[in-house]
Amino acid sequence: MRTFTANEAKTHFGEFIDRAQREPVRVTRRNRVVGIMVSPSDYQAMRVFYADRLRRTLDQTAAHATAQGLTEQQLETLLADDS
């Protein structure tokens, strides 16, 4: 992964964007990573991956809760905002 300083990214923005279309590009400021630019297709793929992962986790949690005897009514009581 190529690294640009924030100043280099600003100064060479066209190159920075072109590079990000081919591979993720790390941006640093004062020797700390402050961001990573990725292509729109890579970003969308990450969103799909993490949404699917979250959905599987929620499904597994719901199945486990049901197996342990949690009912819809008990869940509503637990989630009720009594403030």
Side-chain angles (χ1 to χ4, degrees), residues 45-79:
M46 286 187 291
R47 287 179 51 94
V48 168
F49 173 81
Y50 285 112
D52 183 57
R53 185 171 155 187
L54 176 59
R55 183 172 317 281
R56 281 185 281 128
T57 299
L58 291 172
D59 289 345
Q60 291 170 353
T61 302
H64 179 74
T66 300
Q68 296 297 312
L70 182 65
T71 66
E72 288 288 331
Q73 185 177 13
Q74 290 170 323
L75 182 60
E76 285 180 29
T77 301
L78 287 171
L79 297 177

Side-chain angles (χ1 to χ4, degrees), residues 2-20:
R2 173 77 194 269
T3 300
F4 281 73
T5 65
N7 191 47
E8 288 170 332
K10 180 175 72 171
T11 305
H12 304 284
F13 195 63
E15 178 188 348
F16 177 73
I17 289 175
D18 289 343
R19 172 87 54 174

